[in-house]
Amino acid sequence: QVQLVESGGGLVQAGGSLRLSCVASGNIFSISSMGWYRQAPGKQRELVAQITSGGTTNYVDSVKGRFTISRDNAKNTFYLQMNSLKPDDTAVYYCNAEIVVVAPYKILYWGQGTQVTVSS
């Protein structure tokens, strides 16, 4: 069965940087899209960044110009580079990926989450 494993979270000072990684493993035929969500205490989970199979990216307004999503298809891995971090970025970050095991069926998978804490 397909699994997503994410890593790279931690505690950083405001203005610092982190890079989150998400590795997909299992019986994968292709990955059509992938993205990052986050959930802060007492708030709803929100989409942070998304990248399509064609390379088109989308970001929530609050992270535009600071975060960059990228992918390495050969390694079934994608990343979220986070620069100029702010305390408001503190949240659990979840990766997701829409994965084809047997065409044309696609299933959305989620990682387990990684904590990002930004101190002031």
Side-chain angles (χ1 to χ4, degrees), residues 80-103:
L80 185 68
Q81 178 67 46
M82 304 185 294
N83 298 326
S84 301
L85 283 162
K86 304 174 180 179
D88 285 347
D89 296 319
T90 296
V92 178
Y93 284 71
Y94 299 89
C95 63
N96 70 13
E98 194 171 58
I99 295 174
V100 177
V101 176
V102 178

Side-chain angles (χ1 to χ4, degrees), residues 17-53:
S17 297
L18 286 173
R19 189 179 75 160
L20 306 183
S21 300
C22 183
V23 181
S25 62
N27 186 23
I28 299 171
F29 178 77
S30 66
I31 301 176
S32 60
S33 64
M34 52 206 88
W36 291 92
Y37 286 72
R38 67 185 180 188
Q39 188 165 23
K43 298 183 179 180
Q44 292 184 324
R45 187 175 298 185
E46 67 173 349
L47 175 67
V48 178
Q50 186 178 51
I51 186 167
T52 69
S53 60

